[in-house]
Amino acid sequence: MGGLLGPIGTGRGKELTTFLMPMVMPACRVACLFIPANLLPQFTAEWDYYGAHWRLPNLAGGRWFRPGLPVLHVITYNKLSSQEATDLLERIRPDLVILNEAHNLKDPKDSRTGRFLRYFEKRPETRLVALSGTFASKSIKDYAHLSRLALRDGSPLPLAHHVVEEWGTALDPGKVIAPPGALERLCEPEEHVREGFRRRRNDTRGVVATDESALDKPLIIRPRYPGPVPAELLALIELAHGGERPDGEQFQEQLQAMACARQLSAGFFHRWRYPRGESPELIEEWFAKRKAWNKEVWEELKGERREHLDSPGLLTKAAIRANMVPPYEGDKPVWEAATWTEWAEIHDAVQPEPQAVWVSDFLVQDAAEWARTQVGIVWVEFPELGERIARAAGVPFYGGGRVASEAILQESGRRSIVASIKAHATGKNLQQFRRNLVVTPPSDGALWEQLLARTHRPGQEAACVEMEVCLHTEDYATAFATARERAHFIQQTDGQPQKLLWS
């Protein structure tokens, strides 16, 4: 089919597939493989292992070069987001692009997805292989554009954006779901519209899907209720939902209130501190001008994105060039931003720093006790929380960065560890552990599937895997319920049995 759409579950061989794809795709000369940054240490080990058993392409920058074989460039999604990567694909000129964990390019409004799409618009002959354990976490819109580029007119999803929107109203999870209408023609008798969509998609030529778990072992998921939750903390959570931070600051958006309530459920909240002692009047002016500048940048990025003007950092440089004296005469674009001059004048006058203010250690002590009395992984959303639990328990905390990614893979599974969900819940092989404690449950069903698969995966030698989830506040209970609803949507439309629904 000249491309591939692969909804393939965790632990089912996506990595080896991506390594071999340049060797089997006809007439491939140069290929780009995109992977999450936190998988780079694991990539190196797996490349060396598979290279001893399989004939692999030349690795760009590698030690060996074999004439006649295609060249594979391995690039992280983070690098594609960087300012210097605005024309990265154009410089490499791949005739094949391979996406592992392709959901990292689900949002066309992101700068990295925009760069990816712009390259395919310029070079429509480029082939695409897109693989993911969960293409759609909230909507079929998450991957309609990837399906179109991979399978062209043979895509099982609509090619026109407005038709994708229409399908989404009948298939996506949400409070208001439209009737299936003509989509019922995809269904067999007594078949749910999502199941009919999934079956027809998976029957499409060029779609390779898995529909069963890679591990036939029990997974036990049970709630944990640390507590009692201090009455003071519950009062502050209620205050946050009412629009006020514990230090009296009023929120401007509902999202800020929800984020603060999640932090307070863990025992702390974030606020700004001003170590240079700036006056309240200056701080207020600084935030107002920053808000105006950010709004103008946001509005500019909502339009058509262009090379060297497709990220906030590049727009800032373009605004600087537009105000140079003498006038800028180079070949890079300029941007006449209305708010830049005022923001530039005050930009360095205030230098706030984020500060975590702790209200209660009740959750820290509960998680630390769990880590001291059994062996497993304590999963956290916030690095401040992870560091505090690790100190209290006397165990290591693995946050973001390459060093932590390399070190966590070396753990033997004989002691407890604390790990960042953001940094390590995707792609890592951590089957040396069998017990888990999720202190801050996320609401994303796709993220839960990845997190559970770190220990519930092939190579797990224990009889069963256990997961405890802290549900001591309404915010965390609601997040967990939302995750299960979204996991149900994924299971019906993708066909992958979602681990979150096992228990």
Side-chain angles (χ1 to χ4, degrees):
M1 297 304 293
L4 170 67
L5 185 73
I8 298 172
T10 55
R12 302 309 297 268
K14 291 192 293 293
E15 286 74 21
L16 179 57
T17 301
T18 62
F19 295 173
L20 296 176
M21 196 55 65
M23 304 296 292
V24 299
M25 184 68 76
C28 177
R29 298 180 300 101
V30 180
C32 277
L33 167 60
F34 286 94
I35 64 173
N38 65 345
L39 296 190
L40 265 181
Q42 193 165 296
F43 166 84
T44 302
E46 290 182 345
W47 182 268
D48 291 341
Y49 171 77
Y50 286 126
H53 303 279
W54 299 83
R55 191 166 180 242
L56 301 181
N58 291 311
L59 190 62
R63 290 172 293 176
W64 312 106
F65 184 85
R66 292 157 292 177
L69 296 184
V71 176
L72 178 66
H73 295 257
V74 180
I75 304 168
T76 68
Y77 290 106
N78 285 357
K79 184 173 182 180
L80 187 60
S81 301
S82 63
Q83 292 184 28
E84 63 272 14
T86 183
D87 59 349
L88 176 64
L89 284 169
E90 191 63 38
R91 297 198 304 266
I92 297 175
R93 295 277 186 94
D95 48 56
L96 171 65
V97 175
I98 307 162
L99 306 177
N100 194 4
E101 310 294 353
H103 51 270
N104 283 277
L105 295 182
K106 68 182 180 182
D107 186 358
K109 295 188 290 292
D110 278 351
S111 59
R112 62 186 176 191
T113 307
R115 292 167 182 178
F116 162 81
L117 294 174
R118 192 163 63 231
Y119 180 77
F120 275 81
E121 289 172 4
K122 284 185 178 180
R123 306 194 178 278
E125 71 281 0
T126 309
R127 281 82 55 89
L128 176 66
V129 168
L131 308 174
S132 176
T134 309
F135 272 108
S137 60
K138 300 178 183 177
S139 170
I140 62 167
K141 292 181 288 186
D142 290 347
Y143 71 106
H145 56 296
L146 301 177
S147 179
R148 172 176 54 83
L149 294 177
L151 301 178
R152 315 300 166 106
D153 289 346
S155 169
L157 278 78
L159 302 180
H161 178 72
H162 73 279
V163 184
V164 176
E165 293 276 357
E166 291 174 356
W167 282 35
T169 61
L171 294 169
D172 296 347
K175 295 181 180 178
V176 179
I177 300 178
L183 283 176
E184 286 184 333
R185 286 185 286 176
L186 298 179
C187 304
E188 301 289 351
E190 306 301 322
E191 193 174 43
H192 191 282
V193 65
R194 289 176 179 170
E195 294 166 346
F197 162 79
R198 179 192 73 218
R199 180 176 48 76
R200 289 293 295 266
R201 185 202 66 178
N202 291 356
D203 285 348
T204 301
R205 294 182 66 193
V207 176
V208 177
T210 56
D211 58 4
E212 59 184 28
S213 174
L215 184 64
D216 186 19
K217 285 191 176 184
L219 171 62
I220 300 172
I221 303 174
R222 55 176 175 262
R224 184 179 180 88
Y225 298 100
V229 183
E232 176 194 6
L233 200 60
L234 292 174
L236 292 176
I237 292 172
E238 185 176 351
L239 186 70
H241 281 298
E244 185 177 336
R245 207 166 58 195
D247 61 354
E249 183 74 20
Q250 292 291 318
F251 296 122
Q252 295 179 330
E253 301 175 357
Q254 181 64 24
L255 286 176
Q256 293 174 317
M258 294 171 61
C260 184
R262 276 188 65 83
Q263 294 164 10
L264 286 167
S265 294
F268 76 100
F269 67 94
H270 281 138
R271 71 177 180 188
W272 293 110
R273 61 185 294 265
Y274 304 93
R276 301 200 318 182
E278 296 91 341
S279 68
E281 294 77 16
L282 178 60
I283 292 171
E284 183 178 357
E285 182 184 3
W286 186 88
F287 272 107
K289 291 183 176 178
R290 187 185 73 153
K291 182 178 180 180
W293 164 249
N294 287 342
K295 182 178 181 181
E296 186 174 7
V297 169
W298 172 258
E299 292 296 328
E300 181 69 19
L301 290 175
K302 283 170 60 178
E304 180 183 354
R305 299 197 180 197
R306 297 163 285 167
E307 269 186 20
H308 305 294
L309 291 173
D310 62 356
S311 73
L314 290 172
L315 285 176
T316 300
K317 290 182 177 180
I320 293 173
R321 289 192 291 268
N323 288 272
M324 282 184 173
V325 179
Y328 173 74
E329 296 180 354
D331 57 355
K332 290 187 177 179
V334 298
W335 180 41
E336 300 287 350
T339 60
W340 168 250
T341 302
E342 289 190 352
W343 171 237
E345 290 174 352
I346 201 173
H347 175 267
D348 293 328
V350 178
Q351 295 185 9
E353 296 178 357
Q355 179 186 30
V357 180
W358 285 91
V359 180
S360 172
D361 256 357
F362 89 101
L363 187 61
V364 170
Q365 295 305 322
D366 181 82
E369 178 65 18
W370 187 96
R372 284 193 297 264
T373 55
Q374 53 193 313
V375 174
I377 305 175
V378 179
W379 294 98
V380 297
E381 174 184 356
F382 309 107
E384 300 94 336
L385 178 62
E387 292 168 356
R388 204 170 179 96
I389 293 172
R391 282 197 303 270
V395 300
F397 168 63
Y398 294 107
R402 186 183 183 94
V403 173
S405 285
E406 292 174 347
I408 196 172
L409 296 174
Q410 303 304 315
E411 282 288 341
S412 65
R414 297 191 183 97
R415 63 175 178 178
S416 287
I417 62 172
V418 184
S420 161
I421 293 174
K422 181 179 180 181
H424 306 295
T426 300
K428 298 287 171 53
N429 298 334
L430 300 173
Q431 62 268 26
Q432 64 270 39
F433 296 94
R434 62 171 289 261
R435 291 189 177 92
N436 302 266
L437 172 65
V438 179
V439 179
T440 51
S443 61
D444 188 338
L447 180 56
W448 266 103
E449 179 69 9
Q450 290 287 339
L451 191 156
L452 290 163
R454 295 316 99 223
T455 53
H456 191 259
R457 61 183 301 109
Q460 176 58 256
E461 296 180 356
C464 70
V465 173
E466 299 178 28
M467 177 74 69
E468 294 184 60
V469 187
C470 291
L471 302 178
H472 53 282
T473 66
E474 185 177 343
D475 292 273
Y476 284 3
T478 300
F480 188 66
T482 300
R484 285 180 59 86
E485 178 186 353
R486 291 173 177 173
H488 190 63
F489 159 73
I490 295 167
Q491 184 163 290
Q492 286 185 314
T493 57
D494 251 14
Q496 310 291 337
Q498 296 297 289
K499 299 177 187 294
L500 193 59
L501 303 178
W502 281 31
S503 298

